Amino acid sequence: MSAIALGIHGGCGVMPREEMDEAGWAAARVDLARALRAGWGVLRGGGSAVSAVEAAVMVMEDSPHFNAGRGAALNIDGEPMLDAAIMDGATLAAGAVSAVGRTRNPVRLARALMDAGESVMLTGPAADRFAETHGLPVVDPDWFITDRQRAALARMKARRAAGATATEAEKHGTVGAVALDADGHLAAATSTGGFTNKPAGRVGDSPIIGAGTYARDGACAASGTGAGEFFIRHVVGHEIASRMRYLGEDVATAASRIVFEDLAPYRIGAGLVAIDGAGCVVTPYNTAGMFRGWITAEGRMHVATHDEVFVVEA
Ligand code: ASP
């Protein structure tokens, strides 16, 4: 029996404290804790790391506080276009979906695709149809749209019309989870709406296996958040695993190297959660904040948005 452990993120970014009142930040932390409990319940019951990351991500997809599922960022046409992926570190099986517009929980769709075993990636309306034919809940696209994201899109368009562009670090969000189960297996899952005002048809790093989502037993599981184009170019998840496998680096060193050195020259917002085979969870980020949380083998649960880390009842 291996130790069990779980880590999550709900996206990195500028996250100005004045954007929400203290009750708003506290509500986001409550949902982080709910996501952790969902995944932890699976692991404690002897469930797989894959099921744990799926359960944790689903809670964050359903929460309006994060840029995934309900509350996802809207693209230039005002549409939610969702990306998600899941990967099993034991088998390297993976499922990924992009530009989904009607599937309530894109991570469940990614899981169903992985379990079906034929394709690794589906995109657009065909991916939504796969969800329907596999009995997963589908919703009207309006279900994903919140007032907060409508306002964010309007602000972004107004700024663009005025000739100002958002910095990379202002646009972020995504949710993700990594886990180690009692059988010693690792898994990762990620789900996102991308970024506000993104081009129609744009696909980010989250559903790209090896970039925003990666898991490999014997190395690590990782889920990223930040400017996806750079995560794709640096194949971030796979790079962390490779540094661990080929250079013998520990997960903290390998993950920090990517976030604080390799991605630094681009001045982009970047963060991630990663876990190794011993259950060590790391959450490096280079922005003002990152929604995040983790539970270690002793069952102690931590959640945070900015620097301060809160220990809460598991
Ligand atoms: N990585 C996500 C994407 O590029 C967005 C984010 O995490 O901010 O789609």
Side-chain angles (χ1 to χ4, degrees), residues 172-174 192 194 202 204-206 225-228:
H172 295 298
T174 280
T192 189
R202 180 264 187 188
D205 60 309
S206 306
T225 169

